[in-house]
mmCIF file of all heavy atoms in Angstrom:
data_model
loop_
_atom_site.group_PDB
_atom_site.id
_atom_site.type_symbol
_atom_site.label_atom_id
_atom_site.label_comp_id
_atom_site.label_asym_id
_atom_site.label_seq_id
_atom_site.Cartn_x
_atom_site.Cartn_y
_atom_site.Cartn_z
ATOM 1 N N GLN A 1 -1.855 5.577 -4.005
ATOM 2 C CA GLN A 1 -1.706 6.492 -2.870
ATOM 3 C C GLN A 1 -3.028 7.187 -2.542
ATOM 4 O O GLN A 1 -3.304 7.469 -1.381
ATOM 5 C CB GLN A 1 -0.619 7.533 -3.173
ATOM 6 C CG GLN A 1 0.788 6.954 -3.143
ATOM 7 C CD GLN A 1 1.842 7.960 -3.559
ATOM 8 O OE1 GLN A 1 3.030 7.745 -3.388
ATOM 9 N NE2 GLN A 1 1.411 9.083 -4.123
ATOM 10 N N ARG A 2 -3.819 7.454 -3.567
ATOM 11 C CA ARG A 2 -5.151 8.022 -3.319
ATOM 12 C C ARG A 2 -6.021 7.021 -2.573
ATOM 13 O O ARG A 2 -6.737 7.389 -1.641
ATOM 14 C CB ARG A 2 -5.837 8.359 -4.644
ATOM 15 C CG ARG A 2 -5.483 9.697 -5.260
ATOM 16 C CD ARG A 2 -6.316 9.930 -6.506
ATOM 17 N NE ARG A 2 -7.745 9.853 -6.216
ATOM 18 C CZ ARG A 2 -8.669 9.430 -7.084
ATOM 19 N NH1 ARG A 2 -8.310 9.025 -8.298
ATOM 20 N NH2 ARG A 2 -9.948 9.414 -6.744
ATOM 21 N N PHE A 3 -5.963 5.762 -3.002
ATOM 22 C CA PHE A 3 -6.795 4.733 -2.375
ATOM 23 C C PHE A 3 -6.293 4.379 -0.980
ATOM 24 O O PHE A 3 -7.087 4.172 -0.056
ATOM 25 C CB PHE A 3 -6.815 3.480 -3.256
ATOM 26 C CG PHE A 3 -7.628 2.358 -2.675
ATOM 27 C CD1 PHE A 3 -9.008 2.433 -2.641
ATOM 28 C CD2 PHE A 3 -7.010 1.222 -2.156
ATOM 29 C CE1 PHE A 3 -9.770 1.400 -2.103
ATOM 30 C CE2 PHE A 3 -7.752 0.191 -1.614
ATOM 31 C CZ PHE A 3 -9.148 0.285 -1.592
ATOM 32 N N ALA A 4 -4.980 4.301 -0.813
ATOM 33 C CA ALA A 4 -4.370 3.921 0.464
ATOM 34 C C ALA A 4 -3.244 4.898 0.774
ATOM 35 O O ALA A 4 -2.080 4.651 0.417
ATOM 36 C CB ALA A 4 -3.853 2.479 0.406
ATOM 37 N N PRO A 5 -3.542 6.010 1.420
ATOM 38 C CA PRO A 5 -2.531 7.045 1.694
ATOM 39 C C PRO A 5 -1.329 6.554 2.487
ATOM 40 O O PRO A 5 -0.273 7.195 2.463
ATOM 41 C CB PRO A 5 -3.318 8.098 2.490
ATOM 42 C CG PRO A 5 -4.745 7.912 2.057
ATOM 43 C CD PRO A 5 -4.881 6.441 1.845
ATOM 44 N N VAL A 6 -1.464 5.428 3.189
ATOM 45 C CA VAL A 6 -0.343 4.902 3.962
ATOM 46 C C VAL A 6 0.855 4.601 3.065
ATOM 47 O O VAL A 6 2.015 4.606 3.527
ATOM 48 C CB VAL A 6 -0.759 3.634 4.734
ATOM 49 C CG1 VAL A 6 -1.042 2.473 3.789
ATOM 50 C CG2 VAL A 6 0.307 3.236 5.747
ATOM 51 N N PHE A 7 0.610 4.375 1.770
ATOM 52 C CA PHE A 7 1.691 4.062 0.836
ATOM 53 C C PHE A 7 2.221 5.304 0.123
ATOM 54 O O PHE A 7 2.941 5.188 -0.871
ATOM 55 C CB PHE A 7 1.233 3.023 -0.182
ATOM 56 C CG PHE A 7 0.862 1.706 0.439
ATOM 57 C CD1 PHE A 7 -0.464 1.265 0.439
ATOM 58 C CD2 PHE A 7 1.819 0.915 1.051
ATOM 59 C CE1 PHE A 7 -0.811 0.055 1.032
ATOM 60 C CE2 PHE A 7 1.476 -0.286 1.645
ATOM 61 C CZ PHE A 7 0.160 -0.717 1.639
ATOM 62 N N SER A 8 1.873 6.472 0.613
ATOM 63 C CA SER A 8 2.409 7.710 0.050
ATOM 64 C C SER A 8 3.897 7.832 0.378
ATOM 65 O O SER A 8 4.380 7.282 1.370
ATOM 66 C CB SER A 8 1.649 8.917 0.613
ATOM 67 O OG SER A 8 0.283 8.865 0.262
ATOM 68 N N GLY A 9 4.587 8.585 -0.442
ATOM 69 C CA GLY A 9 6.009 8.773 -0.208
ATOM 70 C C GLY A 9 6.830 7.594 -0.700
ATOM 71 O O GLY A 9 6.380 6.802 -1.538
ATOM 72 N N TYR A 10 8.031 7.464 -0.141
ATOM 73 C CA TYR A 10 8.961 6.444 -0.622
ATOM 74 C C TYR A 10 9.510 5.574 0.512
ATOM 75 O O TYR A 10 10.576 4.996 0.405
ATOM 76 C CB TYR A 10 10.110 7.113 -1.385
ATOM 77 C CG TYR A 10 9.636 7.806 -2.643
ATOM 78 C CD1 TYR A 10 9.270 9.150 -2.611
ATOM 79 C CD2 TYR A 10 9.502 7.108 -3.842
ATOM 80 C CE1 TYR A 10 8.813 9.789 -3.750
ATOM 81 C CE2 TYR A 10 9.042 7.736 -4.983
ATOM 82 C CZ TYR A 10 8.701 9.078 -4.941
ATOM 83 O OH TYR A 10 8.237 9.700 -6.073
ATOM 84 N N GLN A 11 8.742 5.500 1.616
ATOM 85 C CA GLN A 11 9.158 4.619 2.697
ATOM 86 C C GLN A 11 8.934 3.162 2.295
ATOM 87 O O GLN A 11 8.118 2.854 1.432
ATOM 88 C CB GLN A 11 8.363 4.919 3.972
ATOM 89 C CG GLN A 11 8.531 6.329 4.509
ATOM 90 C CD GLN A 11 7.503 7.292 3.912
ATOM 91 O OE1 GLN A 11 6.807 6.937 2.982
ATOM 92 N NE2 GLN A 11 7.453 8.487 4.461
ATOM 93 N N GLN A 12 9.665 2.276 2.960
ATOM 94 C CA GLN A 12 9.474 0.846 2.718
ATOM 95 C C GLN A 12 8.258 0.341 3.493
ATOM 96 O O GLN A 12 7.974 0.799 4.605
ATOM 97 C CB GLN A 12 10.718 0.065 3.137
ATOM 98 C CG GLN A 12 11.867 0.170 2.155
ATOM 99 C CD GLN A 12 11.482 -0.337 0.769
ATOM 100 O OE1 GLN A 12 10.929 -1.418 0.620
ATOM 101 N NE2 GLN A 12 11.790 0.453 -0.258
ATOM 102 N N HIS A 13 7.535 -0.600 2.889
ATOM 103 C CA HIS A 13 6.365 -1.192 3.519
ATOM 104 C C HIS A 13 6.398 -2.705 3.317
ATOM 105 O O HIS A 13 7.160 -3.224 2.506
ATOM 106 C CB HIS A 13 5.081 -0.620 2.919
ATOM 107 C CG HIS A 13 4.855 0.830 3.217
ATOM 108 N ND1 HIS A 13 4.278 1.271 4.379
ATOM 109 C CD2 HIS A 13 5.140 1.951 2.487
ATOM 110 C CE1 HIS A 13 4.212 2.596 4.372
ATOM 111 N NE2 HIS A 13 4.725 3.030 3.233
ATOM 112 N N ASP A 14 5.538 -3.386 4.057
ATOM 113 C CA ASP A 14 5.431 -4.829 3.940
ATOM 114 C C ASP A 14 4.755 -5.192 2.617
ATOM 115 O O ASP A 14 3.669 -4.674 2.309
ATOM 116 C CB ASP A 14 4.619 -5.383 5.116
ATOM 117 C CG ASP A 14 4.536 -6.893 5.091
ATOM 118 O OD1 ASP A 14 5.468 -7.543 5.566
ATOM 119 O OD2 ASP A 14 3.518 -7.419 4.588
ATOM 120 N N ALA A 15 5.381 -6.047 1.841
ATOM 121 C CA ALA A 15 4.857 -6.401 0.514
ATOM 122 C C ALA A 15 3.494 -7.072 0.612
ATOM 123 O O ALA A 15 2.611 -6.839 -0.228
ATOM 124 C CB ALA A 15 5.839 -7.312 -0.223
ATOM 125 N N GLN A 16 3.317 -7.903 1.643
ATOM 126 C CA GLN A 16 2.032 -8.592 1.791
ATOM 127 C C GLN A 16 0.904 -7.606 2.077
ATOM 128 O O GLN A 16 -0.211 -7.743 1.562
ATOM 129 C CB GLN A 16 2.136 -9.636 2.912
ATOM 130 C CG GLN A 16 0.908 -10.515 3.083
ATOM 131 C CD GLN A 16 -0.071 -9.943 4.113
ATOM 132 O OE1 GLN A 16 0.312 -9.102 4.919
ATOM 133 N NE2 GLN A 16 -1.300 -10.416 4.085
ATOM 134 N N GLU A 17 1.173 -6.591 2.895
ATOM 135 C CA GLU A 17 0.167 -5.577 3.198
ATOM 136 C C GLU A 17 -0.186 -4.788 1.938
ATOM 137 O O GLU A 17 -1.359 -4.461 1.706
ATOM 138 C CB GLU A 17 0.674 -4.637 4.288
ATOM 139 C CG GLU A 17 0.827 -5.302 5.650
ATOM 140 C CD GLU A 17 1.405 -4.363 6.690
ATOM 141 O OE1 GLU A 17 1.652 -3.183 6.338
ATOM 142 O OE2 GLU A 17 1.602 -4.787 7.842
ATOM 143 N N PHE A 18 0.819 -4.485 1.134
ATOM 144 C CA PHE A 18 0.567 -3.765 -0.114
ATOM 145 C C PHE A 18 -0.248 -4.619 -1.077
ATOM 146 O O PHE A 18 -1.193 -4.130 -1.714
ATOM 147 C CB PHE A 18 1.889 -3.358 -0.762
ATOM 148 C CG PHE A 18 1.712 -2.664 -2.085
ATOM 149 C CD1 PHE A 18 1.276 -1.352 -2.142
ATOM 150 C CD2 PHE A 18 1.975 -3.332 -3.273
ATOM 151 C CE1 PHE A 18 1.100 -0.712 -3.360
ATOM 152 C CE2 PHE A 18 1.804 -2.695 -4.499
ATOM 153 C CZ PHE A 18 1.362 -1.379 -4.538
ATOM 154 N N LEU A 19 0.099 -5.890 -1.190
ATOM 155 C CA LEU A 19 -0.639 -6.796 -2.071
ATOM 156 C C LEU A 19 -2.102 -6.867 -1.663
ATOM 157 O O LEU A 19 -3.003 -6.769 -2.504
ATOM 158 C CB LEU A 19 -0.014 -8.192 -2.030
ATOM 159 C CG LEU A 19 -0.787 -9.300 -2.743
ATOM 160 C CD1 LEU A 19 -0.933 -8.996 -4.231
ATOM 161 C CD2 LEU A 19 -0.103 -10.646 -2.538
ATOM 162 N N ARG A 20 -2.354 -7.050 -0.359
ATOM 163 C CA ARG A 20 -3.727 -7.142 0.122
ATOM 164 C C ARG A 20 -4.507 -5.864 -0.199
ATOM 165 O O ARG A 20 -5.639 -5.927 -0.669
ATOM 166 C CB ARG A 20 -3.718 -7.383 1.635
ATOM 167 C CG ARG A 20 -5.101 -7.254 2.297
ATOM 168 C CD ARG A 20 -5.996 -8.434 2.014
ATOM 169 N NE ARG A 20 -5.534 -9.593 2.720
ATOM 170 C CZ ARG A 20 -5.881 -9.878 3.990
ATOM 171 N NH1 ARG A 20 -6.665 -9.065 4.659
ATOM 172 N NH2 ARG A 20 -5.444 -10.980 4.556
ATOM 173 N N LYS A 21 -3.895 -4.718 0.058
ATOM 174 C CA LYS A 21 -4.596 -3.454 -0.178
ATOM 175 C C LYS A 21 -4.844 -3.226 -1.661
ATOM 176 O O LYS A 21 -5.915 -2.748 -2.060
ATOM 177 C CB LYS A 21 -3.778 -2.294 0.396
ATOM 178 C CG LYS A 21 -4.613 -1.060 0.705
ATOM 179 C CD LYS A 21 -5.626 -1.349 1.800
ATOM 180 C CE LYS A 21 -6.492 -0.142 2.098
ATOM 181 N NZ LYS A 21 -7.538 -0.446 3.117
ATOM 182 N N LEU A 22 -3.875 -3.584 -2.490
ATOM 183 C CA LEU A 22 -4.048 -3.424 -3.929
ATOM 184 C C LEU A 22 -5.177 -4.308 -4.443
ATOM 185 O O LEU A 22 -6.040 -3.851 -5.204
ATOM 186 C CB LEU A 22 -2.746 -3.751 -4.662
ATOM 187 C CG LEU A 22 -2.812 -3.779 -6.194
ATOM 188 C CD1 LEU A 22 -3.329 -2.467 -6.753
ATOM 189 C CD2 LEU A 22 -1.444 -4.115 -6.784
ATOM 190 N N LEU A 23 -5.199 -5.566 -4.024
ATOM 191 C CA LEU A 23 -6.256 -6.471 -4.473
ATOM 192 C C LEU A 23 -7.630 -5.991 -3.998
ATOM 193 O O LEU A 23 -8.620 -6.070 -4.737
ATOM 194 C CB LEU A 23 -5.995 -7.891 -3.965
ATOM 195 C CG LEU A 23 -4.823 -8.634 -4.610
ATOM 196 C CD1 LEU A 23 -4.642 -10.003 -3.957
ATOM 197 C CD2 LEU A 23 -5.025 -8.792 -6.111
ATOM 198 N N GLU A 24 -7.691 -5.485 -2.770
ATOM 199 C CA GLU A 24 -8.957 -4.965 -2.260
ATOM 200 C C GLU A 24 -9.417 -3.766 -3.083
ATOM 201 O O GLU A 24 -10.612 -3.606 -3.366
ATOM 202 C CB GLU A 24 -8.814 -4.574 -0.792
ATOM 203 C CG GLU A 24 -8.696 -5.772 0.143
ATOM 204 C CD GLU A 24 -8.454 -5.360 1.588
ATOM 205 O OE1 GLU A 24 -8.269 -4.150 1.839
ATOM 206 O OE2 GLU A 24 -8.458 -6.242 2.472
#
């Protein structure tokens, strides 16, 4: 969440977008 604030909270997100951001 610090690296990518868009994933803050508990909303649902696209798994592929999360994977890409995590790997980056």
Side-chain angles (χ1 to χ4, degrees):
Q1 288 175 168
R2 276 184 57 211
F3 179 72
V6 68
F7 297 112
S8 298
Y10 295 92
Q11 299 89 350
Q12 284 301 311
H13 293 276
D14 183 83
Q16 186 268 342
E17 292 177 2
F18 177 75
L19 172 61
R20 170 75 71 86
K21 203 64 181 177
L22 173 56
L23 289 177
E24 288 176 354

